[in-house]
Amino acid sequence: MYAQMVKTDADKVKALQEMTPEERAFQERVDRGEKIEPKDWMPEGYRRTLIRQIGQHAHSEIVGQLPEGNWITRAPTLERKAILLAKVQDEAGHGLYLYCAAETLGVTRDELTERLLSGRMKYSSIFNYPTLTWADIGAVGWLVDGAAIMNQVPLQRTSFGPYSRAMIRICKEESFHQRQGFDIMMKLARGTEAQKRMAQDALDRFWYPSLMMFGPSDKDSVHSAQSMSWKIKINTNDELRQKFVDQTVPQAEYLGLTIPDPELTWNEAKGGYDFSQPDWSEFFEVLAGNGPCNADRMEARTRAWEEGAWFRDGLMAHAKKAAARRAAARHAAE
Ligand code: BYC
């Protein structure tokens, strides 16, 4: 299933002179910074790559509700509970914007869900880790949403119009998510010794999985070169990972917490931190379905899909009836 992770010659980006006239005109539009809209001509690979990336992103938003949903009933105060509920609802909304953007490329939401449930599509590796304590909800907001924003802010400039517009709306809400996570961490880090230990433990467990969210290192990234030439992606995985580390280390210092990386040092020459890479074999194991929560997440999504069938059928039946009534009314008025 993960054979596509092996780099091949097929990943080579075509030079302008190797392209058909249509491909070349398309590439020139992208290079000029024009947005590509759903009805415009596009190479099949561009369409496929967008469906894969947007679909994976949409699935991540939906699956990402599960580890946080786990704490709604156990949030420590009514206020924290209301905030967490709002955040989890936002994520459902993000999933919907993204499924809509993918649908403009000629794939239905149902097809995307079926591809996820049959293992042909992925969601972000991060959601295969459990949220064991309340501090994990802080770490998810601070680190996971922080990493998501780092990735998504440049995607506001992505070349595909509907994706770019979805990202603009999503980014506005993500920054609130990140701040609520940091706020939880701040309360714990300034709390009792036990609370501080809880915050440190959450950082210890979420640090490397958060670094993995940016994808494999550039040398192992299968899609980056082509996606960047199409401006589906704006930065490489390593560039964003570096920016994330540089942004997060001072925040950890402010909290009085320690990043669990003895190699972490400021590198004056590069103007950024040197840091240890995550254990990439763990990342590939998680992608292969062997992370701590893969089975639970897929089971929850499958159950939701099956148990929601009657509701989807009801909506379709209602839409058909309403359309028939509208058609009959139009007919009568003519
Ligand atoms: N998890 O060639 P590469 C959120 C796969 S946060 C799983 O570099 P690409 C949220 C990749 O799909 C997260 N799989 O790929 C936050 C490919 O496999 P396939 C959602 C990963 O696409 C809080 C293979 O590895 N954000 O939503 O150029 C609460 C080779 O990688 C991962 C997005 O999805 C991973 N971490 O770059 C709730 C952002 N990394 O498909 C929700 C949009 C890599 O060939 N996506 N793979 O089988 C992107 O920017 C890019 O897709 C990535 C990967 C940077 C993630």
Side-chain angles (χ1 to χ4, degrees), residues 127-152:
F127 301 120
N128 292 307
Y129 291 85
T131 44
L132 302 176
T133 69
W134 173 249
D136 288 7
I137 299 303
V140 167
W142 172 37
L143 301 173
V144 174
D145 287 280
I149 296 172
M150 193 54 82
N151 169 282
Q152 289 167 10

Side-chain angles (χ1 to χ4, degrees), residues 33-105:
E34 282 178 35
K35 290 280 178 256
I36 306 300
E37 296 299 335
K39 289 192 175 148
D40 296 347
W41 185 88
M42 60 185 79
E44 203 34 47
Y46 179 84
R47 183 188 301 278
R48 267 204 318 274
T49 303
L50 277 171
I51 291 175
R52 180 183 62 77
Q53 181 167 315
I54 301 174
Q56 177 169 320
H57 194 165
H59 297 324
S60 303
E61 296 283 354
I62 301 300
V63 178
Q65 295 179 289
L66 296 170
E68 293 182 313
N70 183 33
W71 279 89
I72 290 173
T73 52
R74 290 177 288 163
T77 67
L78 183 60
E79 194 190 7
R80 290 286 185 202
K81 185 181 178 118
I83 294 170
L84 184 58
L85 263 174
K87 177 179 193 274
V88 171
Q89 280 178 0
D90 282 353
E91 275 143 18
H94 297 176
L96 297 187
Y97 305 155
L98 288 161
Y99 283 128
C100 287
E103 280 182 317
T104 68
L105 292 156

Side-chain angles (χ1 to χ4, degrees), residues 1-2 4-5 52-53 56-58 60-62 64-65 68 87 91 122-127 140 144-145 148 151-152 155 163 174 177 212-216 220-224 227 233 237 240 283-284 287:
M1 175 164 132
Y2 292 96
Q4 69 262 58
M5 306 218 33
R52 180 183 62 77
Q53 181 167 315
Q56 177 169 320
H57 194 165
S60 303
E61 296 283 354
I62 301 300
Q65 295 179 289
E68 293 182 313
K87 177 179 193 274
E91 275 143 18
K122 300 192 177 74
Y123 55 89
S124 180
S125 51
I126 190 71
F127 301 120
V140 167
V144 174
D145 287 280
N151 169 282
Q152 289 167 10
L155 287 179
Y163 190 24
E174 291 288 14
H177 293 177
M212 293 175 193
M213 286 176 69
F214 297 96
D220 295 320
S221 169
V222 186
H223 304 293
S224 282
S227 289
K233 261 170 101 162
N237 302 353
L240 291 175
F283 172 75
F284 290 119
L287 260 55

Side-chain angles (χ1 to χ4, degrees), residues 95-292:
L96 297 187
Y97 305 155
L98 288 161
Y99 283 128
C100 287
E103 280 182 317
T104 68
L105 292 156
V107 62
T108 66
R109 198 182 305 178
D110 286 7
E111 279 166 40
L112 290 171
T113 307
E114 276 153 13
R115 285 187 208 176
L116 171 75
L117 299 184
S118 62
R120 284 175 295 145
M121 279 187 93
K122 300 192 177 74
Y123 55 89
S124 180
S125 51
I126 190 71
F127 301 120
N128 292 307
Y129 291 85
T131 44
L132 302 176
T133 69
W134 173 249
D136 288 7
I137 299 303
V140 167
W142 172 37
L143 301 173
V144 174
D145 287 280
I149 296 172
M150 193 54 82
N151 169 282
Q152 289 167 10
V153 165
L155 287 179
Q156 295 177 104
R157 290 181 285 119
T158 192
S159 59
F160 186 55
Y163 190 24
S164 157
R165 292 188 285 275
M167 291 317 310
I168 292 169
R169 293 185 63 172
I170 291 175
C171 281
K172 288 195 178 126
E173 293 172 351
E174 291 288 14
S175 49
F176 153 73
H177 293 177
Q178 203 250 359
R179 289 179 65 161
Q180 70 83 39
F182 193 74
D183 188 63
I184 293 176
M185 293 306 274
M186 215 149 66
K187 267 274 172 346
L188 294 173
R190 308 250 159 100
T192 62
E193 270 313 304
Q195 285 173 318
K196 191 168 174 181
R197 268 200 308 278
M198 215 162 110
Q200 181 64 53
D201 170 61
L203 169 58
D204 290 350
R205 283 179 293 106
F206 273 91
W207 176 250
Y208 287 105
S210 300
L211 295 188
M212 293 175 193
M213 286 176 69
F214 297 96
S217 65
D218 291 352
K219 66 176 177 16
D220 295 320
S221 169
V222 186
H223 304 293
S224 282
Q226 181 61 76
S227 289
M228 287 177 73
S229 97
W230 278 330
K231 295 195 185 155
I232 289 175
K233 261 170 101 162
I234 309 295
N235 301 92
T236 73
N237 302 353
D238 285 336
E239 279 167 10
L240 291 175
R241 197 171 3 257
Q242 179 71 54
K243 281 177 82 164
F244 174 73
V245 172
D246 294 344
Q247 172 188 282
T248 310
V249 171
Q251 295 172 351
E253 282 167 359
Y254 183 78
L255 290 170
L257 300 177
T258 309
I259 304 273
D261 178 2
E263 307 299 321
L264 187 78
T265 39
W266 176 254
N267 180 332
E268 191 60 46
K270 82 171 178 192
Y273 285 91
D274 289 333
F275 58 95
S276 305
Q277 289 295 308
D279 174 355
W280 289 116
S281 61
E282 177 183 318
F283 172 75
F284 290 119
E285 274 300 304
V286 172
L287 260 55
N290 303 321

